[in-house]
Amino acid sequence: MTSDPTPASTAPVPAVPTAPDSAVPPAPASPEASRDAAAPGMPVVTMIGGGQLARMTHQAAIALGQRLRVLAASADEPAAQVSPDVVFGSHNSLDDLRAAARGSHALTFDHEHVPIEHLEVLVGEGVSVLPPPSALIFAQDKLAMRRRLADFGAPIPAYAELPQDNSMEALIEFGEQHHWQVVLKTIRGGYDGRGVWLVDSREEALEALAAAPAGSSLMVEQRIALRRELSAMVGRSPFGQGAVWPVVETVQRKGQCAVVIAPAPNLSEETAISAQRLALSLAGELGVVGVMAVELFETTDGSLLVNELAMRPHNSGHWSMDGSVTGQFEQHLRAVLDYPLGDTGTRAPVTVMANILGAAQAPAMSMDERLHHLFARIPQAKVHLYGKGERPDRKIGHVNVLGSAGGNVDDPEHVAHVREIAERAAHWMSHAEWTDGWDVHGE
């Protein structure tokens, strides 16, 4: 839903005649030259990072007539493979950030790891950095996030910093207070289960502490008795308009998101509205511009706790590319350019996203052949591949499957049916094996 929906124009757009091949200009020889190739009068957005989020944002930019410029480390990164406007460099280099930002209307992010001090310099030089560094810091630093959320009054797990001079003593004290149901985390840099240790005893906690990277700053949190994990995605513009998608359920495996069910099944309307309001309030309080995911714990007693924040497009929003009127990547571009935000209504009663994760051993069958077989068997599957090499548990794509128009997200059989199709499709793309034993070449 949106807080200030703006009807879209339905006026027909005249067709533009195509030029003969001889009239097509050659591809620009460099990123600098490519900047002059953008459509006159249309904005250029710079995204820092060349991963799959930038790749899918580029796809959304094409439909809007915009140019997405990417700061990538190498030509084989997912976004660098497809964007005509690439600056090669490091997100840790102020000079490279300046080069990528030059001439763009807004600078935004594929990941949160850009040094805040560099972004503050860019802001001082007149660059529109969105979300602003004053907000992005809370997605970079888990301890700062917890402190800010506590000041805001948001529901969060109990936590404590582990000072490097007495980390063992502080960990033991916190662990004993919470009966050793704790989670050890690096304050910066961890994602997809990296830099996170779930422990159940003093011995496990001390082993995890010893295994943490040398010199890293650490914190510890209470391990929550969960019913499930949820995510509330919100978009917010500089003008202050907000839009929120339905709250979704996320299924985690090996510390990373494997499946998303949208909307979350059997979630009470009261709880869903509470989660959406919390996400909108946090976005406004922190000054977020763009899309933001608020990852939530739903406890066994039905209450909600904030787990983490991501101030960019997020895995829990990939379902929206096919299951929502406005997907998260288009919404992010609308937000950072201060366009009116798009309708976040759903296209089906339930949509299931399943990540395509690299198998332990990459199949001999090519990805292209796997795609042929998938479409032959499950033509309704919407596949999004990232152009990444296959390695164990690496996110190399995702599949979206929409339920039937007559389905109901609170019908366990319907949800299980749609989920089985999505997970079967994703497993096939990962392993070249059908989970139901289907013989590709049999009768």
Side-chain angles (χ1 to χ4, degrees):
M1 66 181 182
T2 57
S3 59
D4 184 18
T6 303
S9 171
T10 57
V13 178
V16 178
T18 57
D21 290 346
S22 60
V24 176
S30 69
E32 286 293 332
S34 74
R35 298 177 192 188
D36 298 329
M42 294 305 292
V44 175
V45 174
T46 291
M47 182 164 268
I48 305 304
Q52 65 261 26
L53 301 181
R55 182 185 179 106
M56 290 182 277
T57 306
H58 166 70
Q59 294 168 349
I62 292 171
L64 299 177
Q66 300 167 0
R67 173 62 62 92
L68 186 78
R69 182 180 305 146
V70 175
L71 176 64
S74 65
D76 63 352
E77 290 191 354
Q81 296 172 21
V82 297
S83 175
D85 194 346
V86 182
V87 174
F88 293 105
S90 170
H91 64 269
N92 289 313
S93 165
L94 179 56
D95 287 341
D96 291 345
L97 292 168
R98 281 181 171 134
R102 190 163 56 249
S104 65
H105 294 71
L107 181 145
T108 190
F109 307 96
D110 168 272
H111 60 76
E112 296 101 342
H113 307 307
V114 184
I116 290 296
E117 58 270 22
H118 290 353
L119 297 178
E120 290 173 341
V121 171
L122 294 180
V123 170
E125 294 173 351
V127 177
S128 177
V129 176
L130 300 170
S134 57
L136 191 66
I137 183 62
F138 299 112
Q140 291 186 353
D141 187 312
K142 296 180 180 66
L143 183 61
M145 176 196 68
R146 283 284 179 254
R147 289 170 172 165
R148 185 67 187 87
L149 292 178
D151 291 342
F152 180 66
I156 56 174
Y159 71 96
E161 182 180 7
L162 300 182
Q164 292 189 6
D165 58 350
N166 68 335
S167 57
M168 184 180 296
E169 293 82 356
L171 175 59
I172 291 172
E173 180 182 357
F174 188 90
E176 290 178 347
Q177 288 176 355
H178 297 279
H179 310 289
W180 290 108
Q181 294 298 297
V182 300
V183 182
L184 188 67
K185 294 182 176 182
T186 55
I187 291 174
R188 287 177 172 264
Y191 68 99
D192 282 349
R194 299 173 182 87
V196 177
W197 297 267
L198 279 65
V199 298
D200 296 299
S201 66
R202 173 188 172 122
E203 292 71 25
E204 288 184 4
L206 295 179
E207 288 175 4
L209 183 64
S216 58
S217 298
L218 300 171
M219 62 183 292
V220 62
E221 294 184 351
Q222 179 185 9
R223 188 172 177 179
I224 303 300
L226 297 181
R227 179 187 174 202
R228 56 182 170 177
E229 295 191 43
L230 304 171
S231 177
M233 289 283 302
V234 61
R236 184 175 182 273
S237 72
F239 179 72
Q241 184 189 8
V244 64
W245 285 271
V247 177
V248 303
E249 178 177 348
T250 64
V251 180
Q252 313 292 318
R253 294 181 188 138
K254 297 182 180 180
Q256 64 179 340
C257 180
V259 176
V260 172
I261 306 170
N266 297 298
L267 184 68
S268 71
E269 182 179 6
E270 179 183 4
T271 303
I273 291 174
S274 176
Q276 291 173 322
R277 286 178 173 168
L278 175 61
L280 287 168
S281 296
L282 287 174
E285 181 72 18
L286 300 177
V288 172
V289 173
V291 298
M292 179 178 74
V294 180
E295 298 179 68
L296 299 160
F297 295 141
E298 183 182 13
T299 68
T300 52
D301 65 6
S303 60
L304 297 178
L305 297 174
V306 177
N307 179 21
E308 292 190 359
L309 306 177
M311 298 179 190
R312 52 171 171 73
H314 189 255
N315 202 164
S316 66
H318 288 351
W319 70 274
S320 67
M321 297 175 72
D322 302 296
S324 178
V325 176
T326 307
Q328 65 166 341
F329 299 100
E330 177 185 337
Q331 195 80 297
H332 189 70
L333 289 169
R334 287 190 186 215
V336 300
L337 291 170
D338 208 8
Y339 290 175
L341 300 183
D343 182 356
T344 52
T346 58
R347 295 185 179 277
V350 59
T351 300
V352 176
M353 187 244 25
N355 274 325
I356 302 172
L357 302 173
Q361 174 97 26
M365 183 185 294
S366 72
M367 184 67 76
D368 182 57
E369 187 177 354
R370 281 175 258 168
L371 194 61
H372 276 71
H373 286 296
L374 175 65
F375 285 158
R377 190 173 184 207
I378 310 178
Q380 73 271 33
K382 304 296 289 184
V383 180
H384 302 269
L385 297 174
Y386 305 155
K388 297 165 78 170
E390 297 179 69
R391 63 171 183 248
D393 297 324
R394 188 185 199 190
K395 292 178 183 176
I396 55 178
H398 69 271
V399 177
N400 287 332
V401 175
L402 277 63
S404 63
N408 188 322
V409 73
D410 293 329
D411 176 0
E413 290 187 4
H414 180 67
V415 173
H417 174 68
V418 180
R419 179 174 173 177
E420 188 278 329
I421 295 172
E423 292 200 71
R424 174 158 40 105
H427 185 89
W428 166 257
M429 292 301 295
S430 297
H431 296 79
E433 298 172 347
W434 290 111
T435 53
D436 59 357
W438 178 270
D439 182 355
V440 173
H441 299 292
E443 298 180 4

